Amino acid sequence: MTFSAAVVGGVLIALVLGQSAAAFWIAWRRWVDQRVAARLRQERLAWEVRAARARCEQAEQARLVWNGYRKFVITQKRRECEGVWSFRLEPHDRKPLPPFIPGQYLTFQLRVPGRDKPVVRCYSLSDAPRPDSYRVTIKREGPPPDRPELPPGVASSFFCDVLKEGDIVDAKAPAGHFTLDLEKDTPVVLISAGVGVTPLLCMANSLVARGSKRECWFLFGARNGAEFIHRDEIERLRQFANFQVHVWFSRPRPDDRKGVDFQHEGRVTPDALRQLLPSNNYEFFLCGPGPFMNAITDGLRAWGVPDSAVHFEAFGPATVKKAAPASVVAPPPGQPTPRVRFARSGRECVWQAGLSVLELAESLGIRIDAGCRAGSCGSCLVAIKEGSVEYLQKPEAQPEEGSCLTCICRPKTDLVLDA
Ligand SMILES: Cc1cc2nc3c(=O)[nH]c(=O)nc-3n(C[C@H](O)[C@H](O)[C@H](O)COP(=O)(O)OP(=O)(O)OC[C@H]3O[C@@H](n4cnc5c(N)ncnc54)[C@H](O)[C@@H]3O)c2cc1C
């Protein structure tokens, strides 16, 4: 073979190889593009299915939801641990129940013997939605440790000590905004202490009931094994690969076994979260005593978690200091800070930025009955004798003329309240 023939041959081979490579490249790109398009179509379809399911659930909820109070029969009363009981409630009319969003609560109106007016209290739903029944879990509230002479909590004692299977209670439809969106797949951390576990257990059980593969950390703190609420259900979460369960005992008893009954000694702290979690890139849901929630929310903020990724529910007077909207932080420049007088208690003070009127009253030791603390149950309604208020969020029902829902309002002017 001559030299020129070899060159021509080489060029031809190179051309054929080049063409093959180009054809392969085009085919490969087409295959990749088709894969990407198919994946996008699949994701879009999944999104549309989720959106349709959410719309169906909303429509179902709207169809089945009721106004005012509905009668429920206590069909099961179960001791969960020391001082804590769960109650399964079936509607007395036996009609189906609306689905609810995990994290929501029921508002009860109780006729407690010896009380002249009904007692209104809220209790979180503690199990995944079922069409035939709801479950709440209630801790009997004793007197404050430093004031043992005071009576125990009215509603929780009534539930735990007096009410029994077969009794009937009145409850409003599920409500509340401390909710887990089951359509999302953001990884979540559910952190609770004591009876604050109830809405978070409901969230966890709802994820399980849906067969969700969403990453979920379930972190729970109790004093010891005697106060481990819903232990079996929490332990059961460990069998699901997407769940990580960690339990802290602050004061373990001698027979509580570390590594078996609990994993960590002490309280759930921000430092513990940093050590445990692979990153801060989660949605956080918290419920527990005030100091616990304040410590965790402060710690998360310091760790760079945006406030929008931290959700919490306060069961009582303890208030979590959230970054308040500018309008709430201080009165407009040039305007004096309003004074608030609680006429019946004979107490007066200057309003403190960021507090609701209810929280201001509680900071002075004035008791105002309060159920939901979210402007929906109406139990904190107080008559305004002088002045006016503005609302920090829209009340679910407009309060009576001349009154205010103290849990969600602040003084607009100097205020005199009948409390
Ligand atoms: C959205 C929401 C969800 C909730 N979910 C749950 C839940 O799932 N489970 C649960 O157990 N709780 C839950 N709670 C708390 C619940 O609503 C009640 O606040 C709790 O049960 C206490 O109510 P009580 O009527 O028993 O106590 P109260 O009668 O309101 O008394 C509260 C405390 O005050 C003390 N006290 C009595 N008299 C005085 C006085 N004169 N001065 C000072 N203190 C006094 C009592 O001894 C008691 O320690 C939730 C609260 C909210 C807002």
Side-chain angles (χ1 to χ4, degrees), residues 72 88-91 94-97 129-134:
F72 282 82
R88 206 130 301 261
L89 306 165
E90 288 183 19
R94 294 185 180 278
K95 292 188 183 144
L97 291 173
R130 281 169 41 167
D132 60 338
S133 67
Y134 291 137

Side-chain angles (χ1 to χ4, degrees), residues 6 11 34 52 93 102 117 139 172 202 226 250 280 288 312 323 331 344 349 362 415 418:
V11 169
Q34 278 169 355
D93 57 20
K117 60 176 191 170
K139 176 175 179 233
K172 280 189 181 180
C202 175
S250 58
N280 65 357
F312 50 81
R344 263 200 272 164
C349 72
E362 285 167 341
L415 200 59
D418 184 32

Side-chain angles (χ1 to χ4, degrees), residues 61 65-66 98-107 122-125 134 172-179 313 372 374-377 396:
Q61 185 160 27
V65 92
W66 66 96
F100 62 87
I101 315 175
Q104 288 191 310
Y105 57 82
L106 296 179
T107 301
C122 302
Y123 291 100
S124 302
L125 290 149
Y134 291 137
K172 280 189 181 180
H177 304 291
F178 175 64
T179 50
E313 183 88 284
C372 67
S376 79
C377 74
E396 276 186 26

Side-chain angles (χ1 to χ4, degrees), residues 61-108:
Q61 185 160 27
R63 189 176 71 79
L64 295 172
V65 92
W66 66 96
N67 286 321
Y69 287 96
R70 182 170 174 186
K71 299 218 170 293
F72 282 82
V73 185
I74 300 175
T75 52
Q76 190 187 55
K77 178 176 178 181
R78 219 181 93 136
R79 184 182 180 276
E80 295 300 340
C81 69
E82 211 160 290
V84 179
W85 296 79
S86 66
F87 299 82
R88 206 130 301 261
L89 306 165
E90 288 183 19
H92 188 245
D93 57 20
R94 294 185 180 278
K95 292 188 183 144
L97 291 173
F100 62 87
I101 315 175
Q104 288 191 310
Y105 57 82
L106 296 179
T107 301
F108 292 89

Side-chain angles (χ1 to χ4, degrees), residues 177 374-376 391-399 405 408:
H177 304 291
S376 79
Y391 283 95
L392 309 174
Q393 67 188 64
K394 197 170 174 287
E396 276 186 26
Q398 203 50 41
L405 289 167
I408 53 162

Side-chain angles (χ1 to χ4, degrees), residues 279-335:
S279 79
N280 65 357
N281 199 10
Y282 290 87
E283 258 194 278
F284 293 84
F285 291 81
L286 335 169
C287 188
F292 154 86
M293 289 208 288
N294 276 321
I296 303 279
T297 44
D298 286 351
L300 290 176
R301 214 172 276 153
W303 194 14
V305 179
D307 275 0
S308 58
V310 183
H311 315 272
F312 50 81
E313 183 88 284
F315 279 1
T319 314
V320 177
K321 307 275 175 297
K322 226 186 174 183
S327 61
V328 194
V329 172
Q335 270 188 31

